[in-house]
Amino acid sequence: MKNSLKVQRAILDITQEELAHRVGVTRQAINAIERGKYVPSTLLALKMGRIFGKPVEEIFILEENDFDEATSL
């Protein structure tokens, strides 16, 4: 899954630390999400969507291989 978290933060001119504080996680968690190392929970993604004023689908983008993994269960 890709994300535009870094771009969204830049638009609002907020740091990873500030975003982390607003959504109740650590700065390291935000960093891991931005690098694609961690997939946020639904609740966390929805909180971010609210902060950025965007639907979750504009911040987190499914890639083709994400569908392949889901259908192989």
Side-chain angles (χ1 to χ4, degrees):
M1 177 169 37
K2 289 183 176 180
N3 70 73
S4 64
L5 211 48
K6 190 172 184 176
V7 172
Q8 299 302 326
R9 281 193 312 98
I11 291 169
L12 289 185
D13 192 29
I14 60 173
T15 64
Q16 288 182 342
E17 186 71 38
E18 187 174 350
L19 177 59
H21 177 59
R22 288 186 185 187
V23 297
V25 298
T26 64
R27 183 204 56 80
Q28 291 85 352
I30 298 299
N31 183 269
I33 294 167
E34 285 186 3
R35 291 183 301 125
K37 302 294 182 186
Y38 177 74
V39 176
S41 69
T42 305
L43 179 60
L44 181 54
L46 288 168
K47 286 179 181 180
M48 290 179 183
R50 185 165 289 177
I51 287 169
F52 296 124
K54 305 231 179 209
V56 172
E57 294 89 348
E58 285 188 31
I59 302 167
F60 299 98
I61 302 98
L62 286 174
E63 296 180 284
E64 192 62 39
N65 63 340
D66 293 326
F67 287 103
D68 296 341
E69 292 169 6
T71 58
S72 66
L73 297 177

